[in-house]
Amino acid sequence: MPTADTRIFIDDCIARVLAASDLDTSIRRARALGELLWKNNLGHYALPDLEQALLTRWLPSFVAPPRPAQTRKYLHVLTQAYASSGHTRVVEHLLESQSLQDAAVLVTEKAPPATLAKLSTASQACICVPKIRDRQEKIQHLLTQFCQYQTLILHIHPYDIDSVLAAGLARHFFGTRIHLYNHADHVFSYGHGTADIVLELSYFGWELSKIRGTHHKCVFAGIPLKLPETIAARADNANGHIASAGTAYKYKPGGGYSFPDFARVLLTKTDRSLMLIGPHLLTNWWWWIPALKMGKRAVFHKRMAYQDYLTCMKQASVYVDSFPLTGGTAFPEMAIKGLPSFGILSGAHGYSPADQLKSDSQTALLADLLAYLQQQIRPGIDHAAIMQQIRDVHAVENVAIRISRAESANEQEKQVPWPNPAPINCDFYEKIWATGKLFMPPIHNAPDWKLGVLFLRYWLQSRKLST
C-alpha cells in the first residue's frame, strides 16, 4: 500500500502533468510518470482520476471522425509487438479462436515485419501505426482506427496513455466498449480507469484489483496456451537433468527467496546436473558465488532456440519454476507436457491451476523435489484433476469464450475457476523493490526533468526511512 510520502509524490507528479499548457507536453509527462510507476513498484497501481482529467481537458481538441456503416466486432490493440513478447503470443492465439473471429490487430508504436505477418489473418492485415511525432495527430489517428470497431481489447504497455486516451474518446463519441487485458497485472498500468472490463489473468491480479479499486469491473479470462491433445508418453528420464527457464531477472534474490542458494544446496544433495535457461552468468552477479561452488554441474544458457529448448526439456527429469518471480506460462506448459514440475507458492502466484503442484516454501520445495527424485512419486497430488483444470483454464477457445462473454458474465462466471492453494501477498513486489539499492529510470520514454527530480528526492527519502 502507498505511504503518505508516496501519495504526496504522486500528487505532485499529477499536478505537473496537468499543469502542461499543451497536449504534447501533458502526454509526454504522463508517459514518463507511467513508466516510472511501472518500473518502480511504489504500491500505486492505477491513476483513474488522471485518465479522466486528461480526457476531460483535451476532449475539445479532437473531432469525431466519420464512422463506417458496418463496424467489425473486436480490435486487439498492442503498443509494441515483439517476436518473443507474451502480448504477441496471446493475440496470435486469440486470432485463431472461433469466438473472437471477427477481429483485427493494430500496433500503436512498432513491430518487426515478421511479427506483423504472424498477427495478420486471411481477412485482415495487422495495422502498424506510422510514426507520428505530433501527439494530437497520433491520438486523432488512433481514434479514427478505433471507431471502426465495437470493442477494443487493449494489450498495451503500462505507460501507453495515448491509446487509453484515444479509447476514451472512441467511447465518448461512439460508445465503443473497452476491455483491458491485464498483462501487467502485478504493476502499475494506465487503462484501469477507462476500461469497461478488466480481463484478469491470475489470482494475484484478482486480489490486487481490490486495491486498485477496479474489482467491480473484473472478469477472469486467463492466459491462452497451445496445449497438446493428450499428455505425450515421456521417455524414462528418471536420471535426467533438472531444468529451469525464465528471464534472467526473475532469479534475482529478493523477498526472502534465493534461487541461486536453493540451486547450490540442491546439487549438494543429488548427483543430477542443473540446466538453467535464461540467467546471464556474466552480468547476473547473484549467480557468481553459487556458480563457482556448483561448478560444471550447473549449465547456464542465456537464450536458446525453441526447438533446442524443447529438446532440453524432453531430456530433463524435472522442471523447477523460477523464483522469487514466476517464469510465467512455461510452468503449466511443462506440466501439461508430462514433465514433473515444481515451484514455490510465494504469494505472487495464481496464474495457473498448475500452481497446485508447487510447495509452500523454499525449504518445502527442496524436500519435495528431493523426495520425488528418490521415489518418483508425489503423494497427495491429484495429478489427473490438475491436468484437466489446466486444459479448462488455458485452452485457447475457453479463454476466447470468456472474453467474448465478459460483458454478460454472471458473478460465478467472473471468478477465477480453480482453488487457490495459498493466500496472495499483494505487496510482494513492493517489498522486493523497497529493499533494492537501485531504481529504474524510464527507457521507453523521454524523461521529464521535474518528474525526475521529484522521484529522486522521494527515492532518497524512502531509503533513509528504511535504514
Side-chain angles (χ1 to χ4, degrees), residues 199-231:
L199 299 168
E200 294 290 0
L201 314 184
S202 69
Y203 268 107
F204 191 87
W206 190 260
E207 291 301 315
L208 199 60
S209 70
K210 298 171 184 176
I211 295 174
R212 282 192 174 104
T214 57
H215 192 63
H216 62 285
K217 59 172 78 174
C218 290
V219 176
F220 177 79
I223 304 170
L225 301 177
K226 286 288 190 66
L227 303 176
E229 292 295 327
T230 58
I231 298 177

Side-chain angles (χ1 to χ4, degrees), residues 38-67:
W38 166 32
K39 294 294 182 64
N40 301 277
N41 200 315
L42 314 186
H44 206 99
Y45 298 98
L47 290 175
D49 292 343
L50 177 58
E51 293 175 26
Q52 184 57 50
L54 289 171
L55 179 61
T56 301
R57 180 176 181 189
W58 298 113
L59 179 62
S61 301
F62 299 93
V63 295
R67 199 180 200 197

